[in-house]
Amino acid sequence: MKRFLLTAGLLAALAFLGAPASAQTGTARGKVVDDKGQPVPDAAILLEYQGGVTRMGDTKTNKKGEFTQVGVYPGVYRITASKEGYQSAFIEYKISLGDASYLPDIKLLPKSGAGVPGATRDELGAAFKKATELTAAGQWDAAEAAFREILVKTPSIPEVHYNLGYVGSQKKDWAAAEAGYLKAIELRPNYGEAYVALARVYQDQGNAAKATEIMAKAAETAGDDAKVQFNLGVFFLNAGKNAEATTAFQKAVQLDPSSPEPYFHLGTIAVGQNQVPEAVAHLEKYLSLNPQHPQNVATAQGLLGYLKPKK
């Protein structure tokens, strides 16, 4: 069997190979939960573009309450979740080009429990819509004020605190970002997105050890969340802990076989370990899943060109 000694310089060079010009869409991934934080399967998901052009997409949640919509043009979308026996709910979120956009959880309340202390459902929905619109427009101070206004009447909504954390991170107000994400986790201990976002806050401040610690806690409380396992793998990879990273990426693949990026990282780790058949299998699987990261696509294609025997 051929053995390939691919240096860091070669990998870096491959990363700058030309990317396909057709990768002009993104991917939306999310989860629908009930009032107890449990997954809601078979919920209908409708994505509606808010940019003045009619663009829509629809899908359903799987048995874990998760959904994926590929081929989404970038921009702000209203994502509505509905299921018989529950009140419909929506969020507004900006879908980015390239890497998958991981949406905050959408919570569906039973129709029998319509009341929200201190505010009606319509008032809360309108206030949240206003705050998310300000966020999408990059009006950080106004968005923060709008989310804090919601908390005056309804102080225990995890998504509001999560969004305050996000606004704080965009303003590089790290204390506010940390406080928002920590409160979201306090209110919903299995809030995977909040753990990931909090870890990024620590990472952006150069505290990789704290970031990895938070992701380890996320694995304990939200270990069945594919994106938590994926981000845990990334943090381990950045820390040079390839064995731990491999385990996390493998768990991410088991939890969500349709997500391409874990396969890419498993493939590059295998390259570094001269495990050629494993590297080829992972990278080919990655490319078969409609990946949306142009640089990674180019790297995978370049690596396969070196690894596969020439016919």
Side-chain angles (χ1 to χ4, degrees):
M1 180 180 71
K2 291 184 180 179
R3 292 179 61 82
F4 294 85
L5 298 177
L6 297 182
T7 65
L10 174 57
L11 286 172
L14 286 171
F16 288 94
L17 292 175
S22 60
Q24 299 298 319
T25 60
T27 300
R29 296 181 182 274
K31 187 175 183 180
V32 179
V33 298
D34 62 18
D35 55 338
K36 297 180 177 62
Q38 297 302 306
V40 178
D42 296 319
I45 305 296
L46 177 66
L47 291 85
E48 299 173 281
Y49 182 62
Q50 301 296 294
V53 178
T54 302
R55 288 177 180 157
M56 301 179 69
D58 63 274
T59 184
K60 279 194 172 185
T61 57
N62 61 21
K63 62 182 180 181
K64 295 180 181 179
E66 300 167 342
F67 65 89
T68 300
Q69 183 73 38
V70 300
V72 181
Y73 287 92
V76 177
Y77 284 77
R78 176 178 292 189
I79 301 97
T80 302
S82 58
K83 185 177 180 178
E84 185 175 355
Y86 293 87
Q87 303 173 58
S88 296
F90 72 88
I91 60 172
E92 292 199 1
Y93 200 84
K94 186 175 182 179
I95 307 300
S96 301
L97 177 68
D99 287 343
S101 297
Y102 289 100
L103 282 56
D105 289 354
I106 304 176
K107 181 184 289 187
L108 295 184
L109 297 179
K111 284 188 175 178
S112 58
V116 175
T120 67
R121 293 297 304 175
D122 287 345
E123 289 173 341
L124 179 59
F128 195 82
K129 180 177 183 294
K130 172 188 173 184
T132 54
E133 287 175 344
L134 291 168
T135 301
Q139 299 181 34
W140 309 124
D141 290 338
E144 180 180 359
F147 282 121
R148 293 198 182 283
E149 186 177 340
I150 295 173
L151 294 180
V152 173
K153 292 184 177 181
T154 52
S156 299
I157 301 177
E159 290 82 1
V160 175
H161 291 283
Y162 175 92
N163 277 278
L164 279 171
Y166 175 77
V167 170
S169 68
Q170 296 303 303
K171 295 171 64 176
K172 300 193 184 303
D173 183 346
W174 303 124
E178 180 183 33
Y181 293 136
L182 284 172
K183 186 63 178 179
I185 291 169
E186 176 188 331
L187 293 169
R188 185 186 298 164
N190 65 343
Y191 202 158
E193 291 90 345
Y195 280 105
V196 171
L198 179 60
R200 285 175 180 157
V201 167
Y202 293 132
Q203 187 180 50
D204 288 345
Q205 296 178 86
N207 193 342
K210 185 68 173 178
T212 303
E213 176 188 334
I214 293 298
M215 289 306 301
K217 290 182 180 178
E220 294 175 7
T221 59
D224 60 348
D225 188 324
K227 52 186 170 290
V228 168
Q229 291 293 344
F230 173 73
N231 281 279
L232 183 60
V234 170
F235 282 113
F236 278 134
L237 196 60
N238 290 338
K241 299 179 179 180
N242 285 359
E244 293 89 340
T246 297
T247 298
F249 289 133
Q250 288 172 341
K251 289 181 179 177
V253 165
Q254 292 170 2
L255 291 165
D256 184 4
S258 66
S259 178
E261 294 306 319
Y263 294 102
F264 172 79
H265 291 293
L266 286 169
T268 57
I269 290 172
V271 168
Q273 296 172 343
N274 285 315
Q275 298 173 350
V276 175
E278 292 84 351
V280 169
H282 288 310
L283 293 172
E284 287 184 334
K285 180 67 174 178
Y286 168 69
L287 293 175
S288 75
L289 291 173
N290 189 33
Q292 301 294 313
H293 193 303
Q295 183 171 306
N296 287 354
V297 168
T299 300
Q301 291 171 336
L303 287 171
L304 285 172
Y306 277 91
L307 296 173
K308 295 181 73 173
K310 301 296 188 294
K311 295 182 179 180

